[in-house]
Amino acid sequence: MSKLSFTQSENARSESLSFIKESIPKIIWENNTNDIQKLKMLASQHPLFSSPILVRLNAQQLQLEQLKDIHINYFNAIVKIFTDALSMLIYQAHQIENHKNLLPSQQFHAKIYARYLLSLNLIDELGFNTYSLELSSPTKSHLIYFLSLLEKLNINPSSQYNVTQEAFDVQNFIQQHLNSYVNLLLILAVTELQVIKYSEALRCNMEKFSPEYTQGYYDCHGIVDHSQKLANDDNHEDDIWALFTQVFETEKYPQFEELLYQYLKVWNDFWHKLNSLTL
């Protein structure tokens, strides 16, 4: 078995995850976990994750020109703003200092443990090589990798040509919730779900045309698989759900469910639009 990077290893996360679970009364954690399992199930059953375009991508049915249109849209929808949202989430962790769920003895500690977990996600995004830190570089950040892919595809990232309104709708939805720690947690947890599912499908279709298209950006996305790919999305997703469990309030379940459906809808509309454009 290959050696895991420290962001993939439980050793880097277990202390923070244990603190988060123990920072609120056990009964609240258990009740919140049950409610959040319902939200996860609703998300997993949403049409977004059984979209026709997923089938087409995994079957390598799209042509390169169609994939180019998808990539400039995906760039505008999420890639160029993801670190903005994640950085804002790290800042907004200050909101939990006085959260009613927290045990009084943990109220000032909580934001540090939250920021530690979220920073594991951010350092991956920013290009730190967590197998060998001396190999770290901003040129290996996920955004720069994606820009390099756009360059290989002869796409100008500043061009708005072929960018759909649905791409801007995803971007705008995220930006509207940057000031809410709890809302942003739910949004980014679902974002990680989307990334895992769709990055793998995009990588599958892209590799049909050249191995160079799957280097860099697509090496960084997916699940922890004991390889050198530094793919941590499932860890990051789990960490964000744990933080969401910590600050979830049962009486607000209906509004969280509504937020979940709203966000899933903008993503589903995005992929539905791209599917129709590539038929």
Side-chain angles (χ1 to χ4, degrees), residues 95-158:
Q95 294 178 15
I96 65 178
E97 283 186 356
N98 298 307
H99 197 280
K100 69 175 187 176
N101 287 358
L102 288 174
L103 297 169
S105 61
Q106 309 299 349
Q107 67 179 114
F108 297 118
H109 301 70
K111 69 180 180 183
I112 297 303
Y113 284 87
R115 285 172 174 165
Y116 181 86
L117 277 183
L118 296 169
S119 293
L120 293 179
N121 193 336
L122 185 61
I123 63 174
D124 284 338
E125 288 289 331
L126 296 181
F128 285 87
N129 186 312
T130 52
Y131 281 111
S132 302
L133 289 177
E134 67 276 10
L135 299 178
S136 303
S137 168
T139 62
K140 299 177 181 178
S141 69
H142 298 188
L143 175 58
I144 301 301
Y145 273 147
F146 200 90
L147 289 169
S148 296
L149 175 58
L150 293 182
E151 184 177 0
K152 292 174 183 176
L153 294 170
N154 295 314
I155 296 172
N156 177 2
S158 298

Side-chain angles (χ1 to χ4, degrees), residues 55-276:
V55 176
R56 297 174 65 208
L57 288 168
N58 282 313
Q60 299 182 320
Q61 292 178 356
L62 273 66
Q63 299 305 308
L64 190 57
E65 288 302 315
Q66 296 171 316
L67 291 165
K68 289 181 180 181
D69 286 343
I70 288 176
H71 278 76
I72 189 59
N73 276 275
Y74 199 62
F75 176 72
N76 280 277
I78 188 61
V79 175
K80 75 175 183 178
I81 67 160
F82 185 78
T83 55
D84 301 341
L86 185 54
S87 297
M88 281 297 290
L89 183 58
I90 292 171
Y91 167 71
Q92 299 297 3
H94 74 86
Q95 294 178 15
I96 65 178
E97 283 186 356
N98 298 307
H99 197 280
K100 69 175 187 176
N101 287 358
L102 288 174
L103 297 169
S105 61
Q106 309 299 349
Q107 67 179 114
F108 297 118
H109 301 70
K111 69 180 180 183
I112 297 303
Y113 284 87
R115 285 172 174 165
Y116 181 86
L117 277 183
L118 296 169
S119 293
L120 293 179
N121 193 336
L122 185 61
I123 63 174
D124 284 338
E125 288 289 331
L126 296 181
F128 285 87
N129 186 312
T130 52
Y131 281 111
S132 302
L133 289 177
E134 67 276 10
L135 299 178
S136 303
S137 168
T139 62
K140 299 177 181 178
S141 69
H142 298 188
L143 175 58
I144 301 301
Y145 273 147
F146 200 90
L147 289 169
S148 296
L149 175 58
L150 293 182
E151 184 177 0
K152 292 174 183 176
L153 294 170
N154 295 314
I155 296 172
N156 177 2
S158 298
S159 174
Q160 300 299 296
Y161 182 70
N162 284 347
V163 179
T164 65
Q165 181 59 48
E166 286 76 7
F168 294 121
D169 289 344
V170 175
Q171 180 186 137
N172 292 336
F173 189 94
I174 296 169
Q175 291 174 331
Q176 289 168 9
H177 293 276
L178 291 180
N179 291 326
S180 171
Y181 177 72
V182 65
N183 287 359
L184 202 49
L185 281 171
L186 180 55
I187 286 168
L188 292 190
V190 175
T191 301
E192 296 286 0
L193 277 172
Q194 190 278 154
V195 167
I196 290 171
K197 193 80 168 180
Y198 280 86
S199 288
E200 175 58 24
L202 286 165
R203 183 202 61 76
C204 181
N205 206 149
M206 292 292 285
E207 70 180 2
K208 174 182 178 180
F209 300 99
S210 173
E212 70 171 338
Y213 294 146
T214 59
Q215 296 168 1
Y217 184 79
Y218 288 112
D219 284 334
C220 300
H221 291 85
I223 62 173
V224 176
D225 63 358
H226 302 279
S227 76
Q228 298 287 322
K229 291 197 304 180
L230 296 176
N232 297 286
D233 292 327
D234 55 339
N235 278 356
H236 298 325
E237 180 203 339
D238 291 344
D239 294 348
I240 294 172
W241 282 119
L243 291 168
F244 186 58
T245 305
Q246 182 186 41
V247 295
F248 183 86
E249 297 173 44
T250 300
E251 64 272 21
K252 295 181 180 178
Y253 180 91
Q255 71 186 57
F256 289 130
E257 184 178 300
E258 178 63 21
L259 178 66
L260 178 78
Y261 277 129
Q262 288 174 356
Y263 188 53
L264 289 167
K265 182 180 185 302
V266 295
W267 269 116
N268 197 47
D269 289 347
F270 171 84
W271 286 111
H272 178 77
K273 179 68 171 183
L274 292 180
N275 185 60
S276 64

